[in-house]
Amino acid sequence: MTFQGWFLILGFVAILLALTKPVGLWLFALYEGRRTPLHVVLGPVERGFYNLAGIDPEAEQGWRRYALHMLVFNVALMAFTYAVLRLQGVLPGNPQGLAGLSPNLAFNTAVSFTTNTNWQSYSGESTMSNLSQMLGLTIHNFLSAATGIALAFALFRGFARRESKAIGNFWADMTRITLYLLLPLCVVYTVFLIASGVPQTLAATVNVTTLEGVKQVLAIGPVASQEAIKMLGTNGGGFFNANSAHPFENPTALVNLIQMLSIFLIGFGLTWTFGKAVGNTKQGWAILSAMVILFLAGVTVTYWQEAAGNPVLHHLGVAGGNMEGKEVRFGIAASALFSVVTTAASCGAVNSMHDSFTALGGMIPLFNIQLGEVVIGGVGAGIYGFLLFAILAVFVAGLMVGRTPEYVGKKIESREVKLAVLAIAVLPLMILGLTALSSVLAQGLAGPLNKGPHGFSEILYAFTSAVGNNGSAFAGLSANTPYYNGLLGVAMWVGRFFIIVPMLAIAGSLAAKKYTPESAGSFPTTGGLWVGLLVGIVLILGGLTFLPSLALGPIADHLAMIRGTLS
């Protein structure tokens, strides 16, 4: 580990903390439906959308109606994308003449982008036409991100409102978030990427002559526009197979830094928005403090392990850290930081191959996803996922002080606790169940490249990434098969929507409650004790649930490495 490496990590966090309140203020304006400076230009566009769709943005919805509209919208989008991918071969915008995708791959990809997972069982530059990239995938990058933020707003209203049956209007939330947040930011971001050397063209290839004088054909396309929302919306799906390790997606160290900042930007801002929504910004800072503690702990372990390198290679006289699978232009520190950022935020973009990390260095990205999108998390999904753990934490605190649990002025009763447990239980049930199934069936065992603990880690990571809606992978798994495409598709759908619906039910239940002011017997939820309890609940639940599977995979792999065994 080096001073420069730690300067990068701590400077990265400092920049985000400085941006938290400004971003949070803008998000709060959208949460409340207030006018912004962009309304002068985009206000008529917003009203035009409402008139065209016959939507009254002032007509609010209860949680059931909000959930139904959200589900119908996402099912329709998934069906549309499936059709585009299947018909790719006969649709325009296909200069390479690529064929349509197989039914199982089209299903997997359509579910993947609908759920903000962006798992890719294919090589983008040799599988997807420009039209499929733009119409089928990039649109999802915007709308799945907007869905996550809208759902976070709905839960905020549940905490903030008193004796109300409504938690907002799904269509109004989606329109405002897309029009006033995601699109403007991505226009600026795309221009920056183009200026930095990222391609943005409808051409499919370009012929170049290398420094050695060799002729080479390079794949290009509308990369910059997809790259911007891929990062800002914590989507992660790359235009190229190498994702953000590809120089056309991530050409410079500055672009690499901006990409990491953009992955966390909205997640940080939403914590401040939550505090503002419930009338106490300290609540938001407390949640962000717990998130940052978990994040820094993960970065420390990953950077330490990757900088330490492989003792087997050291014994053979190969000194230095672990550079396998990493870009030389980024190095160990930036690669380790990116890996933790992308898995802490359920983004899935990668600038290095996690399968090539040391055993414990690769375990941290895996464990980040297993914690359930709570270490910053995806846009919207991170904060509402963390609030589910906050409900359990305040329930535990209530048991300790002998009072009915209260959080930000709302009593937390059996209904909310049961729904939170139901939502949180989805991850271990699906991850461990599907991993166990794939570890014994011939179709599952045909996937991993490696045998033994590392092969098990490849299977475990795949289902963790799918259920956790992350999208990154231990690249050694051959997942483009009917078995894995189908099963991972189901895992992604369950991991997204079987958490969302109970969460919205909690929002509806909380919105209907009266406000309960804090008293002398209330457990404080803004100080260091509360932050420690939050971190403890997250780690204990995650540790108790997933430690056995980690022991069979990366921990066993690490012990074998110490013993001098490589497999």
Side-chain angles (χ1 to χ4, degrees):
M1 293 190 288
T2 65
F3 170 79
Q4 291 89 341
W6 279 112
F7 181 80
L8 170 65
I9 293 168
L10 297 178
F12 168 78
V13 174
I15 293 171
L16 284 166
L17 290 174
L19 293 172
T20 297
K21 184 175 178 180
V23 175
L25 279 167
W26 190 270
L27 287 163
F28 184 72
L30 300 181
Y31 161 80
E32 289 210 320
R34 295 179 179 178
R35 286 183 60 84
T36 70
L38 293 178
H39 274 72
V40 176
V41 177
L42 298 177
V45 179
E46 179 187 6
R47 292 189 294 272
F49 283 149
Y50 295 148
N51 293 333
L52 184 65
I55 293 169
D56 179 5
E58 303 302 322
E60 296 207 337
Q61 303 163 328
W63 80 265
R64 290 180 179 84
R65 192 169 182 80
Y66 199 102
L68 178 62
H69 286 215
M70 179 272 300
L71 288 171
V72 170
F73 177 66
N74 279 276
V75 169
L77 281 175
M78 185 187 73
F80 170 76
T81 302
Y82 178 83
V84 169
L85 298 178
R86 292 284 288 135
L87 297 172
Q88 175 177 268
V90 298
L91 291 174
N94 187 4
Q96 293 173 286
L98 298 170
L101 275 62
S102 67
N104 63 81
L105 181 56
F107 165 75
N108 180 279
T109 306
V111 174
S112 177
F113 280 78
T114 301
T115 57
N116 199 245
T117 308
N118 295 40
W119 171 275
Q120 294 174 288
S121 295
Y122 59 87
S123 174
E125 61 266 48
S126 61
T127 306
M128 295 292 176
S129 69
N130 287 343
L131 183 71
S132 294
Q133 293 276 16
M134 294 185 292
L135 187 63
L137 306 185
T138 304
I139 285 178
H140 273 293
N141 287 349
F142 280 94
L143 297 179
S144 65
T147 297
I149 300 171
L151 294 167
F153 284 179
L155 184 57
F156 294 176
R157 295 186 186 107
F159 281 105
R161 292 184 173 178
R162 307 175 187 181
E163 299 180 82
S164 173
K165 294 181 179 180
I167 57 171
N169 184 302
F170 173 72
W171 304 109
D173 286 340
M174 288 289 292
T175 302
R176 290 165 182 157
I177 292 163
T178 304
L179 198 59
Y180 298 113
L181 176 71
L182 298 179
L183 278 171
L185 284 175
C186 284
V187 168
V188 176
Y189 199 169
T190 299
V191 172
F192 163 75
L193 291 174
I194 294 171
S196 300
V198 178
Q200 181 68 18
T201 175
L202 294 179
T205 59
V206 61
N207 297 317
V208 300
T209 302
T210 67
L211 293 175
E212 293 82 7
V214 178
K215 301 291 184 180
Q216 190 171 353
V217 179
L218 300 180
I220 54 176
V223 183
S225 55
Q226 182 168 323
E227 194 72 17
I229 187 59
K230 155 190 165 179
M231 295 301 183
L232 192 68
T234 63
N235 297 281
F239 191 95
F240 299 100
N241 187 45
N243 206 283
S244 288
H246 197 292
F248 282 175
E249 288 199 31
N250 192 2
T252 68
L254 176 60
V255 171
N256 190 64
L257 175 62
I258 297 299
Q259 287 190 359
M260 290 189 293
L261 290 170
S262 60
I263 291 172
F264 270 6
L265 184 67
I266 294 175
F268 266 64
L270 280 169
T271 60
W272 193 92
T273 304
F274 170 71
K276 182 68 173 176
V278 299
N280 185 355
T281 55
K282 290 183 180 179
Q283 297 286 353
W285 288 116
I287 288 175
L288 183 58
S289 297
M291 289 178 168
V292 170
I293 289 170
L294 291 167
F295 167 69
L296 287 175
V299 169
T300 299
V301 174
T302 300
Y303 183 28
W304 164 46
Q305 286 296 302
E306 295 307 297
N310 191 325
V312 177
L313 296 180
H314 295 169
H315 182 71
L316 296 174
V318 182
N322 177 33
M323 277 297 295
E324 181 186 351
K326 298 179 179 64
E327 281 291 303
V328 175
R329 67 184 192 275
F330 299 138
I332 290 175
S335 299
L337 177 59
F338 200 112
S339 72
V340 179
V341 167
T342 195
T343 51
S346 76
C347 178
V350 293
N351 75 348
S352 56
M353 299 302 106
H354 298 176
D355 194 42
S356 298
F357 277 34
T358 60
L360 295 187
M363 183 185 74
I364 296 302
L366 173 61
F367 189 55
N368 276 344
I369 309 170
Q370 289 175 338
L371 292 179
E373 293 194 303
V374 300
V375 188
I376 310 302
V379 286
I383 185 67
Y384 69 64
F386 206 97
L387 287 172
L388 293 176
F389 278 94
I391 288 172
L392 295 185
V394 81
F395 173 71
V396 171
L399 293 178
M400 291 190 293
V401 299
R403 287 174 54 90
T404 302
E406 301 167 5
Y407 186 50
V408 295
K410 294 296 179 73
K411 287 186 180 294
I412 304 300
E413 297 174 301
S414 61
R415 175 177 170 80
E416 291 78 37
V417 174
K418 290 175 182 176
L419 287 168
V421 170
L422 177 63
I424 291 172
V426 167
L427 268 77
L429 288 174
M430 291 297 293
I431 291 171
L432 299 178
L434 295 178
T435 299
L437 184 68
S438 299
S439 298
V440 296
L441 294 180
Q443 300 97 314
L445 292 172
L449 176 66
N450 300 94
K451 304 301 180 183
H454 198 77
F456 176 79
S457 295
E458 291 172 352
I459 297 174
L460 177 64
Y461 197 108
F463 287 107
T464 299
S465 181
V467 179
N469 298 140
N470 182 267
S472 63
F474 265 26
L477 185 75
S478 299
N480 192 7
T481 65
Y483 174 83
Y484 275 110
N485 279 334
L487 211 56
L488 288 169
V490 172
M492 288 183 279
W493 188 266
V494 172
R496 176 75 160 178
F497 296 106
F498 280 52
I499 292 175
I500 286 172
V501 174
M503 182 275 295
L504 286 175
I506 291 173
S509 177
L510 292 172
K513 293 176 182 286
K514 297 179 180 180
Y515 178 75
T516 304
E518 288 188 10
S519 65
S522 298
F523 185 84
T525 56
T526 57
L529 182 61
W530 170 243
V531 172
L533 180 61
L534 279 175
V535 172
I537 289 293
V538 170
L539 291 178
I540 289 170
L541 286 178
L544 291 177
T545 304
F546 292 107
L547 182 59
S549 64
L550 296 174
L552 292 173
I555 294 175
D557 210 7
H558 177 74
L559 295 175
M561 181 184 70
I562 293 175
R563 195 171 59 246
T565 303
L566 298 178
S567 59

